[in-house]
Amino acid sequence: MTRTRCVGDDGSPLVVIEYQHVDRRPTDAGERTYPGARRLALASGEAVRSLGDGVWEVIATGEMLRRA
C-alpha cells in the first residue's frame, strides 16, 4: 500500500512497506474487493511495528527507525 523512506539508528537508509491482504471475489454485481489485515515490514522482509509519529521499531532487533 505505502512505502516510507526511513533512517535507522546507524544512519542507514531503509524503506518501511505497509502491506494489506485483499480478497477479490466475483459476485452477481461484479467483482468485490474485501480488505484484510495489514502488516508492516522492511523491504528486506523483516517485520516492523509502528510506534506512531513517523517512528518504527524492527521487531527482531529493537532498532528504531525514523521517517527520512
Side-chain angles (χ1 to χ4, degrees):
M1 289 183 49
T2 62
R3 292 174 178 255
T4 306
R5 292 180 188 196
C6 299
V7 178
D9 285 339
D10 61 358
S12 60
L14 299 163
V15 176
V16 172
I17 303 171
E18 180 184 12
Y19 296 94
Q20 183 169 18
H21 299 277
V22 215
D23 187 20
R24 291 191 172 105
R25 294 184 184 204
T27 67
D28 293 338
E31 185 175 85
R32 296 263 327 208
T33 302
Y34 298 95
R38 294 181 180 185
R39 68 181 179 93
L40 298 168
L42 294 177
S44 65
E46 290 181 83
V48 299
R49 74 174 58 124
S50 175
L51 301 177
D53 294 331
V55 179
W56 294 267
E57 177 186 19
V58 179
I59 294 172
T61 64
E63 180 180 8
M64 302 301 284
L65 312 174
R66 303 199 184 285
R67 186 183 323 260

